Amino acid sequence: IDLNSSGESSSAQAENSGAVAQQPTAATVPAATQESEPPAAATPADKAAPSGQLAERQIMILPGAEPPTLDPHLSGDANSAEYVVEIFSGLMAYDQDLNLIPDLAESYDISDDGMVYTFKLRDNARFQDGKAITAEDFKWSFERACDPATGSHTADTYLGDIVGCRSKLQNEAKEVKGVQALDDRTVQITIDEPKGFFLAKMTYPTAYVLDKETVENGGANWYKSPNGSGPFMVDTYAPEEGGIVLAKNENYYRDPQPTLERVIFVTGSPINPLEGYTAGLGRIGLDGAYFDAIPVGTANMPQVTDPNNPLSKELHTVNSFSVFYIGFNVNKPPFDDRNIRRAFNLALDKARMVKLVFQGNVPVANGIVPPNMPGYQNPDLSDFEFDPEQALQLIADSPYGDVSELPDITLNVSGTGGSAGPLVEAIVQSYKDNLGVEVNVEQTPWPDFLAGLNNPKMSYQMYQLGWIADYPDPQNFLEVLFHTESTQNHGGYSNPDVDALLDQARGELDSQKRLKLYQQAEQLILEDAAWVPLYFNVEDWLIKPYVQDFQIPPIQIPKFQYVKILADE
């Protein structure tokens, strides 16, 4: 899943979020316009310690942001996934401990040749309106996701293993032959070759089931009032007016059943998240309410990590399976030249830059796959060390001969104007100081930025972005982002040797041999300088003591069905 260049999900993005109405289930009210500053000295809200008993009202409030879409078959970014994984569901899911479990499926069987998966649906599988979910619903949903008219940018990546998916995507077939409804409760999926990670792909939103009637009769914006099947449903969708409210799905089919009645994402507010967490949300019409959990930005880390500040006891830090990077368009000058890409790697003192910008709270990236990825380590990986003299020599050895002969260079980032942020500023300054190259910065709102990335003729020369794992496997980084034929290969990178290693790893069932192939591919990608890896992300959150079982997963999976709000003593 793509992350915006600041590394924030939809909750984390809300440095400025908006007011919802006094009553969580009512319509929203216009957001306030008064500017605010972070509190000078943050102190915890004046709340009593929780008693261990459940509160009478189970409502959780967080900062949020407007997603590009809530259509699972079109979503491909963390902002959208924040909501989509709570509202919809599929055959498989990950639990809080990252165990891969049947979801709408009750059980599954894999054929001896590893190519035919037979899923039995739960007897109580229901959409939120109570209508039974059948195998035909899955058949229709897979057909829709693979229909070129739908315009999914993720169907090829996550469903392309299924026989007939790519034929339909290319308008060469009328159906996805590899998906069959054997009876009301039995879905059979045939893939093109054995793949150990196929079940994990079934957790991705492109594989979620949709209600045909809602989609076909709901118009272009059907997803703003969908008939989903996840633990929560859309109660109010009004991000421009101040909020997105999710309500408990009373017909949810799987344990644990949600305890929360509402999850309120406050959008577009002038209140700084730390102020809303410590002082409350009264200024935007939520008297007596606080943010129950907030992501912590770099600027506030000194406060919340100070052991003398009571907030430090409410800080939770989790390693994320994500990497942030500068990507190059290898089909666009000057980055179609390997020497230039290598020079732009060597010219950044990443270790110093990341340490200064993030105050030592995140690790610098010397590779692509996060080092905490389960079962995967690449200890012998060799990255580019900071060496501006060698960078200049590489440029001199290139057809350009000198930095003065390079074309104008623009770094594209997501944003809406103003400062592009300290990291981007540091990158631009480093290229100016170490190469004598002026890099222009162009900001684009996140939905438009994504559209530019997904354009087959992407115009960006270089861009800053992040990627968070869809499932905990190195294939989700290396093959999805760098294989020549992958639709998520935004920069157009292509190396036949890398493709051969990734193709071999895809069908390798011996886990140790498979991981060795990925290690070799990762090293080749780095040597080609397809990216400048910057840092591996860490999630820092403040969570109120009365919020129970709110865990921050390292990937985008449902989390609110586990949460409970405890009563004050």
Side-chain angles (χ1 to χ4, degrees):
I1 297 177
D2 287 317
L3 287 164
N4 68 31
S5 54
S6 61
E8 298 162 341
S9 67
S10 61
S11 291
Q13 276 195 338
E15 288 299 320
N16 298 299
S17 40
V20 295
Q22 185 87 10
Q23 298 299 320
T25 58
T28 57
V29 297
T33 57
Q34 180 179 353
E35 294 295 328
S36 65
E37 295 294 332
T43 56
D46 186 18
K47 302 282 280 186
S51 65
Q53 300 297 317
L54 293 183
E56 182 178 351
R57 299 188 70 191
Q58 292 293 313
I59 297 173
M60 187 169 185
I61 307 175
L62 307 92
E66 181 176 5
T69 183
L70 291 184
D71 185 337
H73 297 167
L74 298 181
S75 67
D77 67 292
N79 294 13
S80 300
E82 178 84 11
Y83 305 98
V84 167
V85 299
E86 304 290 348
I87 301 165
F88 302 92
S89 58
L91 293 166
M92 303 293 295
Y94 281 101
D95 67 13
Q96 279 187 309
D97 299 318
L98 297 190
N99 297 308
L100 184 61
I101 60 172
D103 191 2
L104 278 164
E106 176 182 76
S107 62
Y108 61 87
D109 177 74
I110 307 173
S111 63
D112 291 341
D113 64 4
M115 295 171 63
V116 180
Y117 291 72
T118 305
F119 299 89
K120 285 289 184 182
L121 300 182
R122 298 173 181 269
D123 285 334
N124 64 338
R126 295 285 186 273
F127 289 110
Q128 67 186 44
D129 68 352
K131 182 169 58 177
I133 296 173
T134 68
E136 283 294 340
D137 291 314
F138 271 101
K139 171 68 173 172
W140 179 85
S141 297
F142 279 101
E143 296 287 354
R144 177 186 185 265
C146 296
D147 190 331
T150 300
S152 174
H153 294 291
T154 56
D156 183 271
T157 300
Y158 300 97
L159 305 181
D161 305 316
I162 300 173
V163 172
C165 168
R166 291 195 170 110
S167 294
K168 180 159 186 178
L169 281 169
Q170 295 163 10
N171 217 15
E172 297 172 353
K174 293 184 178 181
E175 71 163 329
V176 180
K177 291 185 177 180
V179 180
Q180 296 297 324
L182 302 186
D183 57 45
D184 281 352
R185 292 187 56 237
T186 309
V187 181
Q188 188 174 87
I189 298 178
T190 304
I191 60 176
D192 52 9
E193 63 177 326
K195 292 166 184 170
F197 48 80
F198 176 72
L199 276 178
K201 286 189 172 185
M202 293 294 95
T203 69
Y204 192 78
T206 310
Y208 285 178
V209 68
L210 303 181
D211 175 27
K212 177 180 178 180
E213 182 180 359
T214 300
V215 175
E216 291 188 342
N217 297 337
N221 293 323
W222 67 268
Y223 59 82
K224 294 182 179 180
S225 183
N227 187 23
S229 54
F232 291 86
M233 52 192 283
V234 177
D235 179 277
T236 303
Y237 187 86
E240 295 181 353
E241 298 176 45
I244 298 173
V245 182
L246 304 185
K248 175 181 179 179
N249 177 6
E250 299 289 350
N251 286 313
Y252 187 58
Y253 50 85
R254 181 169 65 80
D255 291 330
Q257 297 288 312
T259 299
L260 291 177
E261 300 164 8
R262 298 283 187 275
V263 181
I264 302 174
F265 293 91
V266 181
T267 61
S269 165
I271 286 187
N272 177 277
L274 190 56
E275 180 186 350
Y277 185 86
T278 58
L281 299 169
R283 286 203 299 109
I284 60 171
L286 286 171
D287 294 326
Y290 297 80
F291 281 134
D292 299 306
I294 61 168
V296 181
T298 303
N300 290 322
M301 285 302 291
Q303 280 180 288
V304 301
T305 55
D306 181 354
N308 296 317
N309 188 332
L311 283 179
S312 64
K313 297 179 181 179
E314 299 173 15
L315 180 65
H316 299 256
T317 298
V318 177
N319 289 320
S320 174
F321 297 161
S322 58
V323 60
F324 291 83
Y325 62 93
I326 298 171
F328 297 121
N329 186 339
V330 303
N331 297 311
K332 197 173 184 66
F335 301 115
D336 54 349
D337 187 297
R338 184 171 182 258
N339 275 353
I340 302 299
R341 299 196 303 271
R342 292 167 69 93
F344 272 66
N345 268 269
L346 290 163
L348 288 186
D349 188 352
K350 296 189 300 184
R352 180 176 181 275
M353 185 169 60
V354 169
K355 181 179 181 180
L356 290 176
V357 171
F358 296 101
Q359 303 169 18
N361 292 317
V362 301
V364 67
N366 70 331
I368 298 160
V369 182
N372 55 324
M373 178 66 68
Y376 183 84
Q377 288 82 35
N378 202 351
D380 299 324
L381 201 64
S382 176
D383 189 21
F384 293 98
E385 298 291 339
F386 175 57
D387 191 339
E389 291 185 5
Q390 185 183 354
L392 288 169
Q393 185 60 53
L394 284 170
I395 294 175
D397 293 340
S398 77
Y400 295 99
D402 188 83
V403 293
S404 63
E405 299 300 319
L406 293 175
D408 291 342
I409 294 175
T410 298
L411 172 64
N412 286 84
V413 301
S414 63
T416 55
S419 172
L423 181 62
V424 172
E425 291 173 357
I427 291 168
V428 170
Q429 189 63 46
S430 293
Y431 285 138
K432 182 178 181 179
D433 293 343
N434 299 322
L435 294 181
V437 174
E438 295 278 356
V439 174
N440 302 307
V441 177
E442 182 175 313
Q443 296 187 60
T444 310
W446 179 236
D448 299 326
F449 181 78
L450 281 176
L453 280 175
N454 290 320
N455 189 323
K457 297 181 180 179
M458 188 187 72
S459 62
Y460 305 158
Q461 283 175 301
M462 60 190 303
Y463 52 94
Q464 198 218 331
L465 193 62
W467 181 266
I468 183 171
D470 306 303
Y471 41 89
D473 193 292
Q475 181 271 345
N476 187 235
F477 287 80
L478 300 174
E479 181 178 341
V480 169
L481 298 174
F482 296 101
H483 196 287
T484 299
E485 296 180 0
S486 174
T487 57
Q488 303 297 311
N489 181 354
H490 302 307
Y493 170 76
S494 180
N495 182 327
D497 293 334
V498 170
D499 288 348
L501 289 167
L502 296 175
D503 290 342
Q504 187 178 348
R506 187 188 307 129
E508 179 57 65
L509 299 182
D510 183 301
S511 61
Q512 293 304 311
K513 291 180 180 178
R514 180 169 171 264
L515 294 179
K516 181 66 69 174
L517 292 167
Y518 284 133
Q519 291 172 342
Q520 296 174 43
E522 186 175 18
Q523 183 62 59
L524 288 180
I525 294 164
L526 289 177
E527 291 173 3
D528 279 343
W531 280 7
V532 181
L534 295 173
Y535 65 95
F536 297 115
N537 200 33
V538 173
E539 295 268 356
D540 296 296
W541 282 70
L542 287 173
I543 304 173
K544 297 284 190 181
Y546 55 79
V547 178
Q548 186 178 56
D549 296 330
F550 180 61
Q551 296 186 20
I552 310 302
I555 60 177
Q556 289 282 0
I557 57 176
K559 53 183 177 286
F560 293 109
Q561 73 190 84
Y562 303 96
V563 179
K564 302 176 181 66
I565 304 298
L566 301 182
D568 299 333
E569 288 185 340

